Structures are given as structure tokens and as C-alpha cells.
Amino acid sequence: MNTIHVLGIAGSLRERSLNRFLLDAARTLAPRGMSIEPFDLAGIPLYNADLDADGRRPADVERFKRAITDADALLIATPEYNYGVPGVLKNAIDWASRPSFRSPLAGKPAAIMGASGGAIGTARAQEQLKLTLLATLAPVLPHPAVTVARAREKFNADGDLVDAATRDLLAGFLNEFAAWVRRVGVAREGRGADG
Ligand code: FNR
């Protein structure tokens, strides 16, 4: 694997979403050898199993599934809504998760981060999201975590991440993520060679 192509997913549709800003910061802090391309979930409709069949799936869902397939890894920035994963993000993952255990998410390395106005910075939503990804067979970066608490104080009016400690944390996290994706990728390729 040369450059690691990461699909970046923010679980918020807000134009000035803190999680979109966090994903933007990750794009600028990504280590050499990693690129992060964002995918906007705005076009993904509510899940309907009647439409989840070849030839019937909404075009944006097909585009999302293809983007996941084509990516080497996923970086998800989740908000926290009522201690959990926002419906927008859970819904998109549900679309991507079929057919179960053979979906584009199966075996796709993923890392989770999140920003919120609250004091524990999406930790509860991140735990839920890990469990959901586990159900899809996507391996999740076990450590470290990026939970950006009181996030409004950490971005400026332009949406730039200006808090030095958070920038350092995010840069370290992305380095770990890149090294881990390479390890997981080698394991996946090895498994493929063994059949
Ligand atoms: C929130 N927010 C919130 N924050 C938090 O830390 N824990 C929570 O459980 C919740 N719950 C919650 C529910 C709903 C319906 C909304 C709209 C908001 C606040 C949330 O962190 C804040 O709105 C963030 O700015 C949302 O992320 P984006 O849209 O900025 O990425």
C-alpha cells in the first residue's frame, strides 16, 4: 500500500459543523502518505429495505458504497446526540452495511473521532459507533481517542482548529492511524493470499 486513501465522513449536515471542521483539520494534519477525501452525507435518504436491492438503490447510496469500497480506510467524525450516534450517521452506516458481513464495510479499517460542545467530547457516541462498526466487521482503531470537548473554544470563526494541544493530539492520532492501517492492510492482504 503506497498512499493510504481515507474516506472522511462527518456525521453532521450543518454547514458550520464542528465535526466537519475537525475533519478539515485532519486533512491538513494528515501525515505524508495519507490523503483524506470527505464524503457529504446530505444526499443519503432514510434507510428503506425495499430500495436496498441492485437497480433500486438511491444513486447517492450507491456512490457512498462505492466510495467506501474504493477507500483504504475510513475516518469518521461523529457528533453526540443525546448520548448517542446521530441518526444521519447511523442511517448512512446502515445503508453501507448490507449485505451483512459482506458489505463494503467488512474488513475496512476505521478510526473514530468527535467534537462536541459538552464536557466529554462525544465519548459516549464514539463507544456506540464502535459497537455498530463491530457489527459490520469493520476493525476500529483501538487507541488513541480524539474526543474534542468544549469544541467551540477550539476552532476560530473560520473553522480552523486553533487549540495547540488538540492539534498535537490529532496529529499523533493520525500517525497512529496510518501505521495501524498499514498493519491491518498487510494482515488483510495476507489473509486474501491464503484464500
Ligand atoms: C446535542 N449536543 C450534545 N452534546 C453532547 O456533548 N452530548 C449530547 O448528548 C448532546 N446531545 C445533543 C442532541 C441534539 C439533538 C443536538 C442538536 C445537540 C450538542 C452537540 O454537541 C452540538 O450541537 C455539536 O455542535 C453538534 O455537532 P456538529 O453539528 O457541530 O458537528
Side-chain angles (χ1 to χ4, degrees), residues 119-158:
I120 61 170
T122 74
R124 292 165 294 217
Q126 291 195 30
E127 288 309 308
Q128 283 192 5
L129 184 53
K130 265 185 210 162
L131 200 58
T132 294
L133 290 170
L134 194 64
T136 72
L137 304 185
V140 179
L141 178 70
H143 181 83
V146 171
T147 49
V148 185
R150 309 215 184 285
R152 276 178 209 92
E153 299 163 15
K154 292 171 181 162
F155 294 89
N156 67 15
D158 294 328

Side-chain angles (χ1 to χ4, degrees), residues 10-14 16-20 77-84 115-122 124 152:
S12 172
L13 305 184
R14 275 189 341 117
R16 292 187 52 75
S17 153
L18 297 165
N19 286 282
R20 283 191 203 257
T78 185
E80 182 171 280
Y81 280 6
N82 299 312
Y83 295 2
S116 86
I120 61 170
T122 74
R124 292 165 294 217
R152 276 178 209 92

Side-chain angles (χ1 to χ4, degrees), residues 2-175:
N2 294 320
T3 295
I4 300 171
H5 297 283
V6 175
L7 189 70
I9 302 165
S12 172
L13 305 184
R14 275 189 341 117
E15 202 178 311
R16 292 187 52 75
S17 153
L18 297 165
N19 286 282
R20 283 191 203 257
F21 292 161
L22 184 60
L23 202 53
D24 287 344
R27 295 180 76 191
T28 64
L29 292 170
R32 229 153 49 94
M34 172 179 272
S35 71
I36 303 173
E37 278 307 310
F39 189 98
D40 192 335
L41 298 181
I44 307 278
L46 285 176
Y47 184 79
N48 181 343
D50 291 342
L51 301 181
D52 196 1
D54 289 347
R56 306 193 67 188
R57 242 171 248 115
D60 279 336
V61 170
E62 290 289 12
R63 208 163 56 80
F64 184 48
K65 293 185 78 157
R66 210 171 316 118
I68 294 171
T69 299
D70 291 346
D72 297 312
L74 309 178
L75 176 60
I76 304 177
T78 185
E80 182 171 280
Y81 280 6
N82 299 312
Y83 295 2
V85 179
V88 163
L89 177 58
K90 177 66 165 54
N91 177 66
I93 292 173
D94 290 341
W95 273 115
S97 70
R98 312 300 289 178
S100 54
F101 311 127
R102 290 177 292 117
S103 81
L105 290 169
K108 189 71 60 175
I112 300 171
M113 56 184 187
S116 86
I120 61 170
T122 74
R124 292 165 294 217
Q126 291 195 30
E127 288 309 308
Q128 283 192 5
L129 184 53
K130 265 185 210 162
L131 200 58
T132 294
L133 290 170
L134 194 64
T136 72
L137 304 185
V140 179
L141 178 70
H143 181 83
V146 171
T147 49
V148 185
R150 309 215 184 285
R152 276 178 209 92
E153 299 163 15
K154 292 171 181 162
F155 294 89
N156 67 15
D158 294 328
D160 301 319
L161 180 61
V162 289
D163 182 73
T166 308
R167 287 181 70 83
D168 286 350
L169 178 72
L170 182 55
F173 166 83
L174 292 166
N175 269 321

